[in-house]
Amino acid sequence: MKKRIIIGIIIATYSIGCSQAQLHMSHPSSALIDGNLTEWADQLVVPDGSKIAVGIKHDDNNIYVALGLIDRMTVMQAVTRGFIIWFDPTGKKKREVGIHYPLQDKNRPPMGIEMGQDQMNPEDIEYILKTQLENQYFFEYLEDEGKSIQQIGLENDLGIKIKTQYKFGEFSYELQIPYAIVGENIDATTKISIGITTPEMSREDMGMQNRPEDGGMGGQRPSGGGSRGGGMG
């Protein structure tokens, strides 16, 4: 009989998540990664103090993560800065492997929507958020607390799948990640902790300085397969 993965919703920055670690159980089943959370309806939980509904599943090969948001400010933050979902195969609170998505549109001030939301009508907000999501082609793969960063195409041969959906003011997110990417020698019997954060805002993000061009942040290929869409080198 499969042992359920124990996951913890770890500290998240700003108003995106909860401020204390809480444990929830992963459901032993697969998920269709299509951005639709209908199949997660009875498996989503909202950690105390959080504005995010979270669901975790697993099968023999993958871990599946689902996030659902309806709070407008939280949705804006999620779409403009994205989430980083961290995995620690030791079951602790380390940020060993992370997936950052959606990625920030560097041609648009990330705080522009949030700071001007009172002056924007719902149709404008809807258009901007949908456009932001439609123009996503990559995610970031992070290791070692984010010291190593690699950009990988959404179309890849690693087995990592991400789908999002924004509709009627609701944002949904689904992630599939193979055990082989999370760590070596882990499977459905391994105790794994999962944390959800948002990227820290820099002075550039807040419009206090001109945003620099892309730096050459490299990173090792994630274990478990090759990538299409390439690194940032």
Side-chain angles (χ1 to χ4, degrees):
M1 183 176 180
K2 293 180 184 177
K3 183 179 179 182
R4 291 185 176 184
I5 298 173
I6 298 178
I7 65 96
I9 309 302
I10 312 302
I11 296 174
T13 59
Y14 305 104
S15 60
I16 290 287
C18 54
S19 58
Q20 295 181 348
Q22 300 172 46
L23 292 180
H24 301 281
M25 299 299 291
S26 172
H27 296 267
S29 63
S30 300
L32 175 64
I33 306 301
D34 59 3
N36 189 325
L37 301 187
T38 302
E39 66 177 296
W40 295 82
D42 60 346
Q43 298 170 349
L44 296 173
V45 297
V46 180
D48 295 341
S50 175
K51 296 180 180 179
I52 305 177
V54 182
I56 309 290
K57 296 182 181 182
H58 70 279
D59 57 22
D60 290 337
N61 300 303
N62 302 294
I63 301 171
Y64 306 91
V65 181
L67 306 174
L69 298 80
I70 58 174
D71 176 76
R72 185 171 66 171
M73 176 64 80
T74 307
V75 169
M76 289 178 178
Q77 292 175 344
V79 174
T80 58
R81 294 205 300 275
F83 292 106
I84 303 176
I85 300 183
W86 293 100
F87 298 86
D88 182 359
T90 69
K92 299 178 181 178
K93 299 180 183 180
K94 295 181 179 179
R95 300 180 181 186
E96 297 288 345
V97 171
I99 301 294
H100 177 199
Y101 186 84
L103 299 183
Q104 179 180 308
D105 181 354
K106 295 176 181 177
N107 295 318
R108 180 184 298 278
M111 291 297 289
I113 298 177
E114 298 167 22
M115 294 179 68
Q117 63 173 315
D118 292 337
Q119 288 74 42
M120 299 178 68
N121 61 54
E123 291 77 15
D124 289 339
I125 294 175
E126 185 96 0
Y127 173 78
I128 291 173
L129 294 180
K130 284 186 174 181
T131 301
Q132 172 82 354
L133 291 175
E134 289 170 357
N135 289 307
Q136 295 286 326
Y137 304 102
F138 301 92
F139 65 87
E140 287 180 340
Y141 171 85
L142 298 83
E143 290 184 314
D144 190 21
E145 303 282 339
K147 296 175 184 176
S148 172
I149 302 176
Q150 183 179 0
Q151 197 174 78
I152 298 173
L154 291 176
E155 298 293 331
N156 63 80
D157 57 6
L158 295 167
I160 300 174
K161 298 180 181 180
I162 307 173
K163 289 289 185 181
T164 58
Q165 179 176 278
Y166 178 75
K167 193 174 183 180
F168 304 124
E170 299 183 7
F171 175 74
S172 58
Y173 171 111
E174 286 185 296
L175 166 68
Q176 169 188 302
I177 184 168
Y179 295 125
I181 302 297
V182 175
E184 297 180 356
N185 302 317
I186 67 171
D187 55 27
T189 67
T190 307
K191 180 180 177 181
I192 299 171
S193 62
I194 299 176
I196 304 169
T197 70
T198 53
E200 296 286 352
M201 281 193 300
S202 66
R203 291 168 59 88
E204 290 83 3
D205 291 335
M206 298 178 68
M208 298 176 71
Q209 296 179 2
N210 292 325
R211 187 174 184 85
E213 296 296 324
D214 268 345
M217 290 188 293
Q220 300 299 315
R221 290 174 67 114
S223 58
S227 65
R228 286 160 48 193
M232 296 179 68

